[in-house]
């Protein structure tokens, strides 16, 4: 089943879906698996598996450190794909690859698409790859039936949104604010207006991310966005409160 | 040949290198910058204002010096040196910074951020910001902060905030990442003054344009002073801005050979160097907003780099050079840390010149090749910066006992004051 139909199906019984995030190999693959079990229990719908990169320039301090530590402990691309295969077979949520373009570029775009597909991934998010540079990758992805996730942002003009909308598939990642991952965003009318503005340009589901950390944030998005994307907040809880902390966090978040 | 005459749909590309690989959130900012740069480049008044600013503020045109003693000693080609070390703040970095300062005024932005390795670019940016009244933040790897304290001292006293970056290898590349993170947050009122001809388009073209003043002057000066063009031109290459600057003066002169000298660190096979093109360890990749040769592993994660010169200690090379290297238009060599120390001693003793450790890399290659050339041949070296900023590193390298005892005494004195 494709990403968009999966989202449509899940949305029949829920008014908003949740996409979570782990950095592969940080703190360790074993702990990643524990985190993912908790996320699956809580009913998380989608998960981004971040492949660590040495220059994560779109990430905030917590994910920067996670990328760095994961690489330091020896995480490889092969291990990340193996993990993706295991995870996508074991859990009911759908899995996306998240990372930086160099990871895909170095193995070759065709090999990248094949490996994501073979590992059970439904798509990928490469925040430093603009659409101007991705026609070939998008073509390969379409052939393979996986989705390149397009990002729309508060600084994107309507003219540009139209361009982005025309090539978006699966879901659109709406970046709630300027900046890097991990800082607090004031979820309010600005974000909702942005989602509405993005919707003018595409029919694919809208996920909103950057700074979502509580049920209150999700409540604001309910009825406006299709998916709430939770990244840094969950890792922070895991580091501070371990398994029980994370279980409570998702229980509250998705209540 | 105009390397900036892009073909349809390939703007910002030099062969297969360059481009713009940035998060979507910066798209509008980079478009705005590109548009403003295009206006400036098309406006002869902008260039006049730029040149006159550098004349009145930085001491341009910088002279060319004939190194008669060194030429005689080596017994080959006549050696000339372009003295960009005589700029205000001590290096060619001020050229680009003043240009981008003028451009920042046109953009109407009130804050500037910059990365710095050796600290020369940060120092120049802080200087420009003080003069133009911009708020200024400098990102610098914590390792570089530790080894370049004198530049940090000046930046702070010029009113800039210096932020030590503790991520990654804590050097130049990590400072670039941190600038990107600041920029994606504060782009509305902030201009990112990238210090070298790297990064996303239009930075490689823009920085090269501002630095082309070095080559424009040098070509004219050589004709006047030496009576003809040089046979070879040498420049050190970190990101590659000073080399792009001087080489552009001779790009259309087919009889002038252009040689870039990279940071050879501990040498071939050591994996402790910064040679992207002279050694075979780098491969094509995409990072920090552009595509070029990077020192990286098979999975695309960056390797550790090293050079005795902080300003050359960088993973990537400007995309224009990656292309010119493919084309055979520029030859790349490497100078090791040890060779650099020897060349510096020789240059100081025979000519009374103190090139920066970065610039000394160009001297190493020139000094190696000069004896193999005829006495009627001419070479030109770009002395992009002055070496007194490196006094701590150089004193260590020369193991200078009197310096150590002086620093020891100073340290005792400060400790006494603190107690």
């Amino acid at each position: 089943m494709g990403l968009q139909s999966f989202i449509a199906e899940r949305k029949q019984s829920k008014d908003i879906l949740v996409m979570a995030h782990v950095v592969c190999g940080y703190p360790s693959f074993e702990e990643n698996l524990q985190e993912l079990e908790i996320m699956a229990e809580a009913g998380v719908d989608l998960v981004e598996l971040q492949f660590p990169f040495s220059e994560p320039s779109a990430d905030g301090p917590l994910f920067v450190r996670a990328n760095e530590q994961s690489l330091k402990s020896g995480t490889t691309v092969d291990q990340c794909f193996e993990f993706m295969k295991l995870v996508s077979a074991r859990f009911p949520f759908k899995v996306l690859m998240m990372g930086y373009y160099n990871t895909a570029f170095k193995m070759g775009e065709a090999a990248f698409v094949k490996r994501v597909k073979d590992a059970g991934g439904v798509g990928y998010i490469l925040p430093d790859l603009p659409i101007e540079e991705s026609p070939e990758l998008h073509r390969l992805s379409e052939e393979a039936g996986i989705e390149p996730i397009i990002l729309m942002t508060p600084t994107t003009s309507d003219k540009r949104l139209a361009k982005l909308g025309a090539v978006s598939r699966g879901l659109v990642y709406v970046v709630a604010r300027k900046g890097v991952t991990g800082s607090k965003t004031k979820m309010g009318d600005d974000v909702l207006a942005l989602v509405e503005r993005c919707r003018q340009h595409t029919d694919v589901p809208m996920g909103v991310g950057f700074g979502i950390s509580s049920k209150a944030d999700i409540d604001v998005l309910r009825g406006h966005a299709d998916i709430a994307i939770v990244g840094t907040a969950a890792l922070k809880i895991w580091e501070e409160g371990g398994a029980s902390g994370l279980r409570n966090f998702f229980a509250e978040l998705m209540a | 040949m105009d390397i900036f005459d892009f073909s349809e749909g390939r703007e910002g590309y030099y062969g297969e290198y360059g481009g713009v690989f940035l998060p979507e959130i910066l798209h509008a900012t980079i478009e705005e910058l590109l548009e403003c740069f295009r206006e400036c480049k098309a406006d002869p008044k902008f260039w006049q204002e730029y040149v006159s600013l550098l004349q009145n503020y930085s001491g341009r045109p910088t002279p060319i010096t004939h190194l008669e003693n060194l030429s005689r000693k080596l017994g080959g080609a006549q050696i000339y040196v372009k003295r960009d070390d005589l700029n205000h703040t001590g290096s060619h970095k001020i050229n680009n910074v003043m240009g981008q300062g003028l451009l920042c005024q046109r953009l109407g932005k009130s804050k500037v951020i910059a990365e710095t390795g050796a600290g020369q670019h940060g120092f120049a940016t802080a200087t420009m910001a003080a003069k133009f009244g911009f708020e200024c933040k400098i990102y610098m790897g914590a390792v570089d902060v530790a080894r370049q304290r004198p530049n940090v001292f000046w930046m702070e006293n010029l009113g800039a905030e210096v932020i030590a970056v503790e991520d990654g290898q804590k050097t130049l590349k990590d400072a670039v990442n941190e600038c990107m993170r600041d920029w994606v947050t504060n782009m509305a009122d902030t201009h990112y003054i990238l210090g070298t001809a790297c990064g996303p388009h239009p930075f490689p073209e823009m920085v090269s344009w501002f630095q082309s003043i070095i080559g424009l002057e040098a070509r004219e000066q050589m004709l006047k002073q030496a009576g003809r063009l040089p046979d070879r031109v040498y420049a050190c290459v970190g990101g590659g801005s000073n080399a792009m600057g001087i080489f552009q003066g001779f790009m259309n002169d087919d009889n002038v050979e252009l040689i870039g000298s990279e940071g050879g660190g501990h040498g071939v096979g050591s994996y402790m160097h910064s040679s992207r093109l002279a050694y075979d360890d780098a491969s094509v990749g995409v990072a920090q907003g552009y595509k070029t040769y990077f020192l990286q592993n098979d999975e695309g994660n960056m390797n550790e780099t090293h050079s005795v010169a902080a300003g050359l200690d960088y993973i990537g090379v400007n995309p224009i050079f990656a292309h010119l290297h493919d084309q055979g238009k520029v030859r790349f060599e490497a100078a090791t840390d040890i060779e650099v120390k020897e060349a510096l001693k020789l240059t100081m003793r025979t000519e009374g010149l103190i090139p920066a450790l970065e610039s000394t890399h160009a001297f190493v290659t020139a000094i190696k090749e000069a004896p193999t050339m005829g006495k009627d041949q001419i070479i030109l070296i770009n002395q992009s910066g002055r070496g007194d900023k490196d006094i701590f590193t150089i004193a260590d390298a020369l193991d200078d006992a009197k310096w150590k005892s002086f620093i020891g005494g100073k340290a005792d004195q400060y400790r006494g004051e603190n107690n």
Side-chain angles (χ1 to χ4, degrees):
Chain A
M1 190 189 332
L3 177 54
Q4 198 166 343
S5 30
F6 173 80
I7 292 169
E9 192 185 279
R10 285 244 166 171
K11 277 214 70 184
Q12 283 175 359
S13 56
K14 294 179 177 181
D15 52 5
I16 191 161
L17 308 188
V18 170
M19 177 152 86
H21 181 124
V22 301
V23 177
C24 291
Y26 181 82
S28 65
F29 282 106
E30 291 71 36
E31 289 187 62
N32 286 156
L33 212 50
Q34 294 170 29
E35 293 169 277
L36 292 169
E37 266 160 18
I38 292 165
M39 291 169 185
E41 276 168 31
V44 161
D45 305 280
L46 296 151
V47 168
E48 300 170 51
L49 295 183
Q50 180 164 8
F51 286 33
F53 180 49
S54 60
E55 318 303 313
S57 53
D59 279 301
L62 194 65
F63 280 166
V64 169
R65 194 158 46 79
N67 274 264
E68 200 177 316
Q69 290 302 321
S70 176
L71 289 174
K72 220 171 242 172
S73 64
T75 300
T76 64
V77 169
D78 283 352
Q79 288 174 345
C80 292
F81 276 123
E82 266 169 50
F83 187 66
M84 189 182 233
K85 196 166 198 170
L86 173 97
V87 166
S88 54
R90 183 181 297 189
F91 298 109
F93 51 67
K94 291 282 182 195
V95 176
L96 293 110
M97 180 273 177
M98 186 268 161
Y100 289 81
Y101 177 54
N102 206 34
T103 303
F105 177 79
K106 284 303 282 182
M107 74 183 76
E109 292 184 345
F112 172 71
V113 166
K114 185 172 183 309
R115 295 192 76 176
V116 171
K117 176 80 182 172
D118 289 351
V122 294
Y124 53 86
I125 305 168
L126 300 171
D128 62 337
L129 182 68
I131 55 164
E132 285 74 9
E133 298 290 346
S134 34
E136 177 62 9
L137 186 57
H138 284 199
R139 192 188 61 75
L140 291 165
S141 305
E142 194 164 5
E143 270 176 26
I146 63 170
E147 318 290 3
I149 307 306
I150 300 289
L151 281 78
M152 295 183 174
T153 81
T155 61
T156 314
S157 67
D158 286 332
K159 198 176 146 200
R160 177 95 183 146
L161 284 179
K163 264 193 184 171
L164 298 175
V167 295
S168 58
R169 297 205 317 262
L171 68 91
V172 160
Y173 191 129
V174 180
V175 177
R177 54 156 172 77
K178 297 173 188 172
V180 290
T181 56
S183 319
K184 183 78 190 125
T185 303
K186 194 175 163 292
M187 286 296 156
D189 293 345
D190 290 356
V191 178
L192 300 185
L194 174 62
V195 174
E196 286 318 307
R197 203 156 68 82
C198 296
R199 277 206 199 276
Q200 306 294 309
H201 302 279
T202 176
D203 295 329
V204 308
M206 295 278 149
V208 176
F210 273 53
I212 294 179
S213 61
S214 67
K215 180 173 188 299
D217 293 335
I218 294 183
D219 286 340
V220 172
L221 297 175
R222 211 178 295 272
H224 298 274
D226 302 292
I227 306 154
I229 305 169
V230 183
T232 307
L235 179 56
K236 196 160 173 259
I237 296 290
W238 178 260
E239 290 197 332
E240 288 166 3
S244 64
L246 196 69
R247 200 165 283 121
N248 292 339
F249 173 75
F250 274 104
E252 272 171 41
L253 193 75
M254 300 181 69
Chain B
M1 158 171 107
D2 183 359
I3 38 183
F4 302 113
D5 190 6
F6 303 113
S7 60
E8 182 69 31
R10 297 292 290 169
E11 163 140 17
Y13 268 95
Y14 311 92
E16 61 168 305
Y17 315 105
V20 179
F21 293 85
L22 287 178
E24 187 59 38
I25 193 118
L26 279 173
H27 181 83
T29 307
I30 208 88
E31 286 289 303
E32 169 194 45
L33 174 63
L34 179 60
E35 196 182 319
C36 182
F37 169 59
R38 286 277 166 255
E39 281 171 24
C40 294
K41 200 171 175 179
D43 178 1
K45 282 201 198 103
F46 182 88
W47 185 260
Q48 282 163 17
E49 188 184 358
Y50 168 65
V51 172
S52 117
L53 176 64
L54 286 175
Q55 284 172 350
N56 299 323
Y57 190 68
S58 189
R60 299 211 77 91
T62 58
I64 277 190
T65 305
H66 181 194
L67 306 193
E68 291 177 73
N69 301 335
L70 188 62
S71 305
R72 200 179 312 119
K73 194 177 173 78
L74 297 173
Q78 293 304 308
I79 302 171
Y80 289 78
V81 171
K82 176 65 173 166
R83 301 292 308 282
D84 254 55
D85 60 308
L86 293 179
N87 271 302
H88 178 41
T89 71
S91 83
H92 73 292
K93 292 289 186 190
I94 194 90
N95 304 332
N96 167 47
V97 162
M98 283 296 161
Q100 289 203 47
L102 290 173
L103 189 132
C104 185
Q105 284 183 327
R106 280 209 186 189
L107 282 168
K109 298 192 172 179
S110 59
K111 296 180 186 166
V112 293
I113 53 172
E115 84 294 343
T116 197
Q120 288 302 105
H121 175 58
F123 181 14
T125 303
T127 301
M128 180 279 289
K131 178 172 167 59
F132 286 4
F134 299 134
E135 208 176 291
C136 178
K137 251 189 223 174
I138 305 295
Y139 292 93
M140 188 168 184
V143 167
D144 292 331
V145 169
R147 63 180 164 180
Q148 299 285 349
R149 174 53 60 180
N151 276 336
V152 175
F153 171 84
W154 288 123
M155 285 183 254
E156 288 178 342
N157 278 282
L158 286 159
E161 184 186 350
V162 179
I163 298 157
V165 179
E166 300 283 355
D167 303 319
Q169 295 169 20
K170 307 179 178 31
T171 59
L172 182 55
K173 76 172 180 66
D174 308 293
V176 172
N177 289 336
E178 211 51 36
C179 277
M180 291 288 181
R181 294 183 189 115
D182 184 310
W183 211 23
V184 299
T185 312
N186 302 309
M187 71 290 244
D189 61 0
T190 301
H191 174 55
Y192 176 17
I193 305 213
L194 218 155
T196 189
C198 291
H201 182 64
F203 282 108
E205 180 185 355
M206 182 164 72
V207 175
S208 297
W209 186 54
F210 290 130
Q211 295 295 1
S212 70
I213 194 166
I214 306 172
L216 282 174
E217 288 174 7
R219 189 176 193 282
E220 203 175 301
Q221 288 166 320
M222 286 306 289
L223 288 172
K224 209 165 162 187
Q225 230 166 300
R228 66 175 183 88
L229 295 177
D231 298 282
R232 296 182 194 176
V233 180
Y234 298 86
C236 67
V237 179
S241 72
N242 89 83
M244 269 309 294
I246 195 158
F247 290 171
Q248 281 175 98
F250 306 93
M251 210 61 97
N252 296 320
D253 299 311
D254 289 339
N255 294 326
V256 180
E257 192 187 7
L258 308 173
I259 300 110
S261 198
E262 295 182 287
H266 297 170
V268 178
S270 67
Y271 300 100
M272 283 296 281
H273 63 79
S274 311
S275 293
R276 290 67 40 100
L277 298 172
Y279 296 166
D280 290 331
D281 296 338
S283 62
V284 181
V286 176
Q288 308 211 309
Y290 68 117
K291 185 188 284 185
T292 192
Y293 275 85
F294 287 102
L295 288 162
Q296 59 181 330
N297 66 17
D298 293 342
E299 299 197 332
N301 289 308
M302 299 301 143
N303 290 334
E304 199 178 331
T305 56
H306 165 80
S307 170
V308 67
L312 304 187
D313 195 350
Y314 179 58
I315 49 173
V317 67
N318 89 57
I320 306 166
F321 278 161
H323 176 57
L324 294 177
H325 176 248
D326 280 0
Q327 302 274 303
K329 179 73 191 168
V330 180
R331 171 159 63 92
F332 288 86
E333 303 290 346
T336 64
D337 291 354
I338 291 172
E339 291 172 326
V340 164
K341 286 164 202 164
E342 289 308 312
L344 179 59
K345 281 195 263 183
L346 179 66
T347 309
M348 288 195 292
R349 289 295 173 93
T350 53
E351 292 289 351
L353 293 183
I354 312 173
L357 286 168
E358 287 78 8
S359 319
T360 308
H361 284 68
F363 280 75
V364 167
T365 310
I367 288 168
K368 271 190 213 168
E369 297 184 4
T372 68
M373 298 169 69
K375 286 198 170 73
D376 55 343
Q377 290 191 289
I378 293 174
I379 65 182
L380 174 65
I381 305 170
N382 194 22
Q383 184 167 334
S384 53
R386 66 174 185 232
D388 40 359
K389 64 152 175 95
D390 297 318
I391 189 162
F392 286 86
T393 313
I394 295 171
D396 277 353
L398 303 183
D399 202 19
D400 191 299
K402 289 175 194 162
W403 173 261
K404 283 183 185 171
S405 123
F406 162 70
I407 294 293
K410 264 291 185 203
D412 291 343
Q413 182 195 329
Y414 289 145
R415 263 185 227 113
E417 284 168 18
N418 287 338
N419 291 339

